[in-house]
């Protein structure tokens, strides 16, 4: 027989198997990367929301007694998916909130005259972020 140019069926099947394996590995890596990106985005959103809440509360906590709307105690309430100050100002909405280390998980009082520990859970889907800070006028 003469030397024929071309590929055999076995060579073709081996090449297809290798290409299939490479595509499957690439797809797996891409899927894991997208999943990790989604987790990081969710975590960052929760952390940003927590920072906004703490900053608004800090501003309220540091309010001086001669300013309009001053009360010696800040009352926070959770109504559904809304976190607000009892006077009506909405601090955050669209998440699940729960006060930790308080008698009532839906209500908390912050005393402006001393150091005040603040611990709260924010939840979005299966992602949870815990705010754990202390307000102080020092």
């Amino acid at each position: 027989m003469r030397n024929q140019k071309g590929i055999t069926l076995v060579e073709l099947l081996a090449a297809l198997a290798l290409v299939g394996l490479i595509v499957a590995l690439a797809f797996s890596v891409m899927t894991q990367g997208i999943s990790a990106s989604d987790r990081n985005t969710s975590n960052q959103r929760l952390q940003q929301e927590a920072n906004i809440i703490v900053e608004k509360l800090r501003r309220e906590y540091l309010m001086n007694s001669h300013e309009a709307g001053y009360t010696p105690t800040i009352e926070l309430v959770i109504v559904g998916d809304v976190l607000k100050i009892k006077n009506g100002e909405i601090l955050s909405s669209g998440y699940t909130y729960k006060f930790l280390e308080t008698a009532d998980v839906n209500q908390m009082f912050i005393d402006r005259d001393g150091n005040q520990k603040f611990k709260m859970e924010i939840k979005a889907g299966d992602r949870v972020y815990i705010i754990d800070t202390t307000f102080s006028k020092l």
Side-chain angles (χ1 to χ4, degrees), residues 6-95:
I7 58 173
T8 65
L9 182 59
V10 172
E11 293 171 331
L12 180 62
L13 289 175
L16 286 174
L18 284 174
V19 168
L21 183 61
I22 291 170
V23 168
L25 287 173
F27 183 75
S28 173
V29 168
M30 186 181 73
T31 303
Q32 288 177 356
I34 290 171
S35 178
S37 175
D38 289 345
R39 280 192 311 273
N40 286 337
T41 300
S42 295
N43 290 339
Q44 286 177 344
R45 284 186 183 149
L46 281 175
Q47 188 171 9
Q48 287 173 344
E49 191 66 23
N51 289 340
I52 290 168
I53 291 168
V54 169
E55 185 56 33
K56 286 179 179 180
L57 279 175
R58 186 189 67 78
R59 183 193 66 218
E60 189 72 24
Y61 178 80
L62 294 175
M63 183 184 283
N64 292 319
S65 60
H66 65 276
E67 294 181 47
Y70 176 85
T71 56
T73 304
I74 303 167
E75 184 179 355
L76 302 173
V77 292
I78 299 169
V79 180
D81 68 344
V82 177
L83 170 66
K84 65 182 184 175
I85 298 175
K86 189 69 171 188
N87 69 11
E89 180 184 353
I90 294 176
L91 297 176
S92 178
S93 64
Y95 298 92

